[in-house]
């Protein structure tokens, strides 16, 4: 019996080998092998330095109402191999030039029974693999409905994963670090409450998923260019350690309505034995199309403050009055309503922020709660919830913009949709027109709560189309967009660079909602940030929220120095100084770093990186050529010891180092920091103790 | 035991009487009694001439996620009685002045356990009852979700009903005439195939539901002013003969998202022992709000022909080419596609219709299939299916409008949405702007197929909001709307008189899809037409469809004379001459009636009426004061014998009578008609034999 089995396995192996197609990365470290298993099931494997990191994994899609799903019965067709190497210049970014270098293999496979062909296109970069399904228009394939995409990622072991629960409606979870085998048991604890949430599996997790193998190899699973397609989560078979794609469904449970010719998004597997290669990778952007916006001169990075943290902490309110049980937009007369006295977006208060922004070199002021409807905006699946154009009586729309512009400041518009996307689309033109009329060039949009119409989810194909529609419409009006609660970015900002920010993860706001894990910011750059910048809203100086709102006992799990480092470690062309002006005025010396730090970069160097533990990054400002450095630390105190060899050769710099004090601690002593100046050059080394939840920031000024 | 039961029943009756509130109609024939049953369940009864036609029926709503549904536990609050009597002038209609005369009783009931009040407002007209639920804004009631409305209509017997199957997605069924007890058994046969259909119950039927009791009383159940609410069907308990409201759900199965203050639509019960009172009733309009359009000068009746029947019959195609498996709107290059040679909306063909329209005194020409996307518009739940602005290469948008205007003709725009309502809303402004640019002032819209997004139905609250949004947007552009496959009208045209037509029932097109029942047009005026005009598209002269398209063996189940009568019996400010010009040219003498007949009226007289059997109507033209008469007949040959006392006293008329020939028959000899002229006055009588499926039409010209 054993013998027969052996023979069988050997012949099977031969069969597989018979069809094997091999693709190597430019640097030769990665090898992707494509093969058709017996039965004609397409599979791939990925090896790093000769070692399999993705074991034979099936490829295919299960279709609805379709005689033949695209899972097996395939024969090999032609195989096209090409090499691509280009440099392109992003409108904004971590570097001024991005190299897009990969070897490509496009495999055409034919399914006899359906007489259909599918192309699977593989692109192998030095740091990872991208592949997608392509469906050329053909006699037997024009329209089809995806029941489920069945793309596997078979792991070679019980890796350590940095994961959040798979969810159709929220991405705002704290990361759990565990073995893959522990996910099921830890899932209940990993799911914390959110304004809208829908889980689908006890072993379902989201991408970008970061992992580390027992022998120190880093693996990241994600996707790129999610356009006209549902966002993908991963469902783990925790016996076989195999992940399978799990798409976000529509109200009928269908996963995608497809019309050939079309493609799926790219599925990505990054691999390296140096964690710095993962955070430095531009692979997700490279897998997206070049900018569709020809004239990008109106797109620019923005450093801003906002009437926001005082509402998040509960000190102020978005709502104008507490007297109205409900609002009928356009009918309710707010001039007759009694102000609640806590409204944040008052003309006087906004002026305070404008003055602060102007005095400290910021570009803009975000104002939330300026428009009518906040009294009952949440939790009612309200269709006509906002009109996006009608201010409260105490917000002088025209006057405040005039005042801001007179001081060189722009106001940032806020469009909270409350998930009512049809209502937003109905008002989009008038809302954008109002912005242009008063000189707004950026909008923060939000999708808090359940999607209206009922049955739709935040990351389904239909809603993903809405997010892109909003970006494209905004581009017509030369408006930059920062969408919160929208689908996680997948490099689309390369194609639509007016998308200068997203939330799509657990942001600083949660530090005022009970707090986030200490090492959260050491994980985000390995996951969420790979797809695009995050409007993380750093810069909190007062960690005891009860000092702002006595009835809020939240604690910000970070030292002040760590908050400064975030401006460098959490790359974004949109950076907020989120705390209240009065808190910055208490720590003017530390605030100086926020004033100084650049937000657009010529170059970036990842010096130290370990997900969950630490990240140290140096960046060179695009405009000034000055260098800035940020380092964030996790739970354990550690010494960051780095050579400053990234500095320009032959130049001398005054380095101002904003660091944790000896006794600093995220919980017990978060505001203890030191500022010291040292003269350095590219031969110097820097050794710095980082407190638990701490870190440090450095500005280098050429002497 | 019996004794105790009796005592119990007596005390119960007393209890009921104790709370009884009585409302009488202005003419005293109808009596509505409201009472709270033991347990505080609101109920009502309706009596006609002292006889109960609606037995004690429960009122209330079942709520979702709500401690206390609004079904019982109510106490009586205040009762307000008022009388209303006004005359108002519709922008268009069957009469120039409508009297709105009713006695009203508004009952406030309070539910102790929830500390909520609900107002039930009853309006009793001479011909029927209207009532609705009103939810004032109050401490314990702002938002609520309706699980189901539980309004009962308890019938007093096993009446004869003229019904179509309850359905969330179509209203285009043939009527079945049967006892209520027979509905369940006849349901499977009653459900014929449609482009989109969703039944919910084996005894579910749609409103307007027409019934007749054994002792000759006519009862009609319907609703009025369905705004921000789901359309209501009726589910029959066929043991107790009790109908209960059944609303159209959203994708989650919820029936309504409500925000106080708000109201439900009006539930209506018309009652009379004279069927003519039902068809003549303006109750549904009277229960709607006055026009919200101040300047209505741009709204006008329209008599039109169209490039339509040739596609419906299969002679021509909407699509331009047969070479494309699918279309990518805006990307597919139709200039490179091979024309299929059957495209109906070609410049040459449209000119032919424009010439015909101009030569015969029509106002407009409808053109379908003019815009790109018809190659794959149906059955794919395609999101971006049309852009509503891009013509096919063989349709000269600018030139044809110029040509039409030069002959005093307007083109009617066509917007088929294929059920993709978000896509329509996204393009609505550009589509309406295009219409104004070229001088279109009317649009026929369509909602064929399943609604996109998935999970929504044609008559849910969310989609009903879309239909009204389209009407309101059109009004901003001074555009008149004729919406097909949209929710059945409920008198909303009083408030939005630019809604000059709807389909929302089985129209003439089905005569080319295998045929409709012979007596269909004797039922529609008692049901569908009560809520608003129907774009029925009458005027078919060639009943053998194979003469138009050899591969279509459908037969139009109507005589030619019957087709003429429809222009009078099926009131609409929008009347089409649906057949092909060549068919009209074959019967020029009969066609003369279509050319002569008015489409807007000063007065209307219903002379003979029996649902399912016959209907005879005389109408006086608003402009000329001329009289026209139409009579349609059902399955059995009959003699229509009527006094002409409606004619203006002291005047003499030449009556031209277009009637069935002696040997006419809808099936065997439909084109056999006679035309005779007689001189008559208001003392004359007219006696006319009507063939099966026949009828006659008369024009009265003053001598």
């Amino acid at each position: 019996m054993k013998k027969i089995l052996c023979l069988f396995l050997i012949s099977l192996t031969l069969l597989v080998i018979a069809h094997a197609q091999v693709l190597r990365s430019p640097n030769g470290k990665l090898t992707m092998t494509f093969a058709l298993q017996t039965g004609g099931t397409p599979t791939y494997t990925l090896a790093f330095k000769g070692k399999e990191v993705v074991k034979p994994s099936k490829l295919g899609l299960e279709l609805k109402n379709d005689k033949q799903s695209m899972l097996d019965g395939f024969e090999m067709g032609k195989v096209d191999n090409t090499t691509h190497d280009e440099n392109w210049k992003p409108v904004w970014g971590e570097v001024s030039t991005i190299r897009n270098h990969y070897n490509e293999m496009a495999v055409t496979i034919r399914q006899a029974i359906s007489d259909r062909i599918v192309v699977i296109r593989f692109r192998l970069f030095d740091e990872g693999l991208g592949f997608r399904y392509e469906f050329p228009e053909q006699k037997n394939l024009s329209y089809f409905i995806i029941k489920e995409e069945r793309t596997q990622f078979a792991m070679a072991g019980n890796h350590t994963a940095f994961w959040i629960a798979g969810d159709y409606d929220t991405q705002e979870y704290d990361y759990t670090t565990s073995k893959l085998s522990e996910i099921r048991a830890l899932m209940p604890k990993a799911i914390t409450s959110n304004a809208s949430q829908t889980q689908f599996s006890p072993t379902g997790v989201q991408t970008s998923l970061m992992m580390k193998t027992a022998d120190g190899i880093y693996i990241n699973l994600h996707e790129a260019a999610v356009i006209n397609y549902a966002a993908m989560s991963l469902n783990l078979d925790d016996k076989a350690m195999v992940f399978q794609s799990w798409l976000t469904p529509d109200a009928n449970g269908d996963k995608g309505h497809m019309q050939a010719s079309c493609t799926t998004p790219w599925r990505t597997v990054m691999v390296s034995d140096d964690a710095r290669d993962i955070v430095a990778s531009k692979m997700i952007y490279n897998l997206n199309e070049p900018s569709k916006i020809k004239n990008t001169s109106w797109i620019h990075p923005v450093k801003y403050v906002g009437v926001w943290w005082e509402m998040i902490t509960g000190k102020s309110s978005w709502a104008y009055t507490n007297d109205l049980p409900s609002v009928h937009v356009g009918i309710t007369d707010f001039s007759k309503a009694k102000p609640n006295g806590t409204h944040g977006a008052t003309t006087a208060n906004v002026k305070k922020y404008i003055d602060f922004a102007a005095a400290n070199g910021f570009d803009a002021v975000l104002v939330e709660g300026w428009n009518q409807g906040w009294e009952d905006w949440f939790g009612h699946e309200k269709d006509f919830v906002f009109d996006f154009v009608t201010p409260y009586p105490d917000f002088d729309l025209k006057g405040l913009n005039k005042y801001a512009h007179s001081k060189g400041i722009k106001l940032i518009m806020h469009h909270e949709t409350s998930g009512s996307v049809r209502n937003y689309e109905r008002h989009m033109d008038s809302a954008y027109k109002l912005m242009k009329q008063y000189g707004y060039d950026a909008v923060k949009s939000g999708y808090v709560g359940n999607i209206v119409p009922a049955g739709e989810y935040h990351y389904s194909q239909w809603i993903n189309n809405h997010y892109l529609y909003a970006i494209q419409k905004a581009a017509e009006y030369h408006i930059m967009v920062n969408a919160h609660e929208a689908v996680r970015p997948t490099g689309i900002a390369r194609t639509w660079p007016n998308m200068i920010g997203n939330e799509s993860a657990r942001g600083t706001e949660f530090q005022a909602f009970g707090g986030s894990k200490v090492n959260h910011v050491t994980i985000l750059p390995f996951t969420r940030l790979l797809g695009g910048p995050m409007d993380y809203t750093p810069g909190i100086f007062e960690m005891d929220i009860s000092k702002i709102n006595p009835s809020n006992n939240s604690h910000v799990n970070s030292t002040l120095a760590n908050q400064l480092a975030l401006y460098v470690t959490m790359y974004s062309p949109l950076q907020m100084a989120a705390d209240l002006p009065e808190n910055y005025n208490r720590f003017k010396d530390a605030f100086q770093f926020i004033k100084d730090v650049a937000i657009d970069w010529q170059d970036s160097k990842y010096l130290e990186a370990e997900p969950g533990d630490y990240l140290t990054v140096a960046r060179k400002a695009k405009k000034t050529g000055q260098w800035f450095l940020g380092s964030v630390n996790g739970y354990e105190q550690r010494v960051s010891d780095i050579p400053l060899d990234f500095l320009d050769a032959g130049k001398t710099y005054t380095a101002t180092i904003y660091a944790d004090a000896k006794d600093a601690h995220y919980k017990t002593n978060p505001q203890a920091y030191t500022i010291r100046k040292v003269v350095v050059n590219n031969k110097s080394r820097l050794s710095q103790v980082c407190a638990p939840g701490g870190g440090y920031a450095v500005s280098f000024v050429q002497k």
Side-chain angles (χ1 to χ4, degrees), chain A:
Chain A
M1 181 57 211
K2 234 185 188 158
K3 228 187 209 133
I4 299 166
L5 184 66
C6 286
L7 284 167
F8 172 73
L9 288 175
I10 289 162
S11 58
L12 206 163
T13 320
L14 288 169
L15 254 165
V16 174
I17 289 160
H19 293 99
Q21 298 289 335
V22 177
L23 180 67
R24 284 190 177 69
S25 61
N27 64 4
K29 288 182 184 170
L30 286 171
T31 308
M32 191 286 296
T33 307
F34 173 84
L36 286 176
Q37 279 183 0
T38 24
T41 303
T43 63
Y44 75 102
T45 64
L46 185 65
F48 177 72
K49 294 182 177 177
K51 183 166 188 180
E52 220 169 51
V53 287
V54 178
K55 297 196 298 178
S57 300
K58 295 180 179 178
L59 298 165
L61 295 98
E62 184 180 359
L63 305 189
K64 184 189 181 190
N65 315 324
D66 201 289
K67 273 176 255 65
Q68 187 61 33
S69 284
M70 298 171 173
L71 294 168
D72 48 29
F74 285 99
E75 309 152 356
M76 281 298 284
K78 71 176 163 51
V79 177
D80 294 323
N81 285 282
T82 54
T83 290
H84 184 89
D85 192 357
E86 63 160 343
N87 289 300
W88 59 279
K89 294 194 172 299
V91 177
W92 41 259
E94 295 177 273
V95 293
S96 59
T97 303
I98 293 174
R99 185 179 184 189
N100 185 12
H101 187 198
Y102 56 83
N103 292 328
E104 174 174 296
M105 180 167 77
V107 182
T108 300
I109 53 175
R110 182 180 168 281
Q111 192 178 43
I113 190 169
S114 65
D115 187 16
R116 291 171 171 173
I117 62 159
V118 175
V119 176
I120 306 178
R121 187 175 304 274
F122 298 91
R123 288 182 179 172
L124 201 47
F125 300 78
D126 283 345
E127 75 270 30
L129 171 70
F131 64 88
R132 71 178 183 186
Y133 303 89
E134 300 181 353
F135 310 97
E137 193 165 43
Q138 52 195 292
K139 192 169 100 283
N140 297 321
L141 187 63
S142 53
Y143 291 91
F144 56 103
I145 297 173
I146 296 171
K147 191 172 173 191
E148 187 59 272
E149 183 183 325
R150 298 270 199 88
T151 301
Q152 292 185 343
F153 305 88
M155 297 295 100
N158 185 13
H159 307 327
T160 296
F162 305 84
W163 57 275
I164 56 176
D167 199 298
Y168 296 153
D169 283 305
T170 185
Q171 301 147 149
E172 298 174 350
Y173 292 125
D174 247 326
Y175 284 91
T176 299
T177 305
S178 80
K179 294 284 183 194
L180 295 177
S181 60
E182 299 168 328
I183 290 175
R184 185 184 297 273
L186 293 169
M187 184 62 73
K189 203 157 146 287
I191 296 163
T192 49
S193 73
N194 193 272
S196 175
Q197 52 194 150
T198 309
Q199 293 88 33
F200 57 85
S201 160
T203 56
V205 297
Q206 297 190 34
T207 73
S208 154
L209 177 67
M210 189 65 202
M211 287 174 283
K212 185 178 185 182
T213 69
D215 50 358
I217 295 172
Y218 300 89
I219 304 170
N220 182 287
L221 304 181
H222 196 16
E223 59 182 332
V226 176
I227 291 174
N228 194 22
Y229 205 82
M232 175 181 76
S233 290
L234 298 171
N235 196 36
L236 175 66
D237 171 347
D238 53 1
K239 298 267 168 302
M241 298 306 162
V242 174
F243 288 104
Q244 186 170 283
S245 52
W246 185 291
L247 304 181
T248 310
D250 67 18
N252 286 350
D254 299 327
K255 303 285 181 101
H257 284 76
M258 308 291 282
Q259 176 186 0
S261 63
C262 57
T263 72
T264 67
W266 295 93
R267 282 61 189 90
T268 62
V269 186
M270 294 185 199
V271 186
S272 179
D273 48 14
D274 185 337
R276 296 177 301 179
D277 296 339
I278 307 293
V279 278
S281 173
K282 300 291 171 286
M283 202 177 103
I284 301 291
Y285 281 114
N286 281 329
L287 288 167
N288 277 268
E289 294 297 310
S291 176
K292 290 194 186 296
I293 303 173
K294 284 186 178 45
N295 164 21
T296 57
S297 59
W298 50 275
I299 301 170
H300 57 85
V302 177
K303 195 191 287 186
Y304 73 106
V305 295
V307 182
W308 178 74
W309 189 242
E310 55 186 86
M311 281 92 90
I312 291 293
T313 53
K315 174 179 187 271
S316 311
S317 65
W318 283 269
Y320 171 78
T321 176
N322 301 338
D323 292 359
L324 298 173
S326 84
V327 172
H328 294 270
V329 178
I331 295 165
T332 302
D333 181 355
F334 281 91
S335 71
K336 291 194 173 59
K338 180 165 155 289
N340 57 18
T342 61
H343 185 217
T346 65
T347 301
N349 194 39
V350 173
K351 276 190 171 162
K352 197 186 80 182
Y353 279 84
I354 292 170
D355 294 340
F356 180 80
N360 294 286
F362 287 87
D363 305 304
V365 175
L366 165 72
V367 186
E368 296 197 3
W370 68 277
N371 59 320
Q372 297 183 6
W374 288 93
E375 286 67 19
D376 65 344
W377 72 285
F378 178 72
H380 306 300
E381 279 86 37
K382 192 176 174 183
D383 189 340
F384 185 19
V385 56
F386 291 111
D387 70 4
F388 310 97
V389 295
T390 312
Y392 281 123
D394 58 352
F395 182 82
D396 177 4
L397 182 60
K398 188 178 179 188
L400 281 169
N401 277 282
K402 198 156 168 289
Y403 184 74
H405 299 158
S406 74
K407 301 200 156 202
I409 300 295
K410 275 192 153 61
L411 295 187
I412 296 177
M413 174 52 73
H414 184 233
H415 292 165
E416 175 54 52
T417 68
S418 190
S420 185
V421 294
R422 180 178 69 175
N423 180 62
Y424 188 35
E425 290 196 13
R426 284 178 175 180
H427 293 87
M428 214 172 256
D429 276 300
S430 54
Y432 287 152
K433 277 176 188 150
L434 182 90
M435 287 175 63
K436 298 317 284 184
Q437 179 187 345
Y438 289 108
Y440 292 85
D441 70 350
V443 61
K444 173 185 176 180
S445 58
Y447 295 87
V448 175
N450 297 332
I451 296 294
V452 179
E456 283 294 333
Y457 302 107
H458 277 73
Y459 317 129
S460 66
Q461 180 185 28
W462 196 74
I463 298 296
N464 286 349
N465 284 351
H466 162 79
Y467 302 132
L468 187 56
Y469 177 78
I471 300 291
Q472 291 166 337
K473 268 265 182 194
E476 291 172 22
Y477 288 90
H478 286 196
I479 287 169
M480 301 180 284
V481 177
N482 164 29
H484 282 223
E485 296 88 26
V487 67
R488 45 200 171 274
T490 53
I492 290 170
R494 180 187 179 186
T495 313
W496 297 99
N498 64 316
M499 190 166 77
I500 58 170
N502 274 114
E503 184 182 45
S504 310
R506 187 181 181 91
T508 297
E509 62 186 5
F510 281 87
Q511 298 281 22
F513 301 162
S516 293
K517 288 186 178 174
V518 171
N519 65 343
H520 189 53
V521 294
T522 67
I523 298 170
L524 285 173
F526 291 90
T527 55
R528 163 65 182 78
L529 267 53
L530 294 177
M534 178 174 178
D535 184 29
Y536 184 73
T537 69
I540 304 304
F541 280 12
E542 181 49 72
M543 313 304 173
D544 176 358
I545 302 303
S546 69
K547 292 262 176 67
I548 298 171
N549 170 18
S551 65
N552 183 341
N553 296 316
S554 294
H555 178 85
V556 178
N557 296 317
S558 159
T559 68
L560 194 149
N562 171 284
Q563 289 290 314
L564 296 181
L566 294 174
Y567 289 88
V568 184
T569 59
M570 299 279 287
Y571 166 70
S572 175
L574 184 73
Q575 286 287 16
M576 183 181 201
D579 209 338
L580 308 180
E582 44 267 48
N583 290 331
Y584 290 130
N585 290 333
R586 287 164 54 203
F587 305 95
K588 284 216 163 81
D589 55 353
F591 183 56
Q592 187 61 45
F593 182 80
I594 298 177
K595 292 168 65 172
D596 295 342
V597 68
I599 49 176
D600 198 19
W601 309 99
Q602 210 181 103
D603 199 7
S604 294
K605 303 286 183 188
Y606 286 86
L607 308 172
E608 300 178 302
E610 185 61 30
D613 291 342
Y614 56 83
L615 180 70
T616 306
V617 191
R619 304 189 195 271
K620 187 177 190 180
K622 197 180 261 177
K623 275 209 192 87
T624 63
Q626 279 186 22
W627 284 89
F628 293 87
L629 181 146
S631 181
V632 289
N633 188 32
Y635 286 92
E636 306 304 328
Q637 182 181 68
R638 70 178 282 270
V639 174
S640 169
D641 184 66
I642 51 167
L644 303 183
D645 52 7
F646 55 83
L647 292 170
D648 301 6
K651 291 178 180 167
T652 318
Y653 299 83
T654 302
T656 307
I657 304 166
Y658 305 75
D660 295 319
K662 281 197 173 42
D663 56 350
H665 185 283
Y666 72 88
K667 193 78 184 171
T668 57
N669 197 16
Q671 292 172 324
Y673 62 89
T674 65
I675 301 175
R676 67 183 199 274
K677 290 185 189 297
V678 288
V679 174
V680 298
N681 61 28
N682 71 332
K683 306 270 180 304
S684 313
R685 271 195 94 82
L686 174 60
S687 184
Q688 180 62 52
V689 179
C690 301
Y696 64 100
V698 186
S699 65
F700 298 88
V701 180
Q702 216 180 304
K703 282 181 83 81

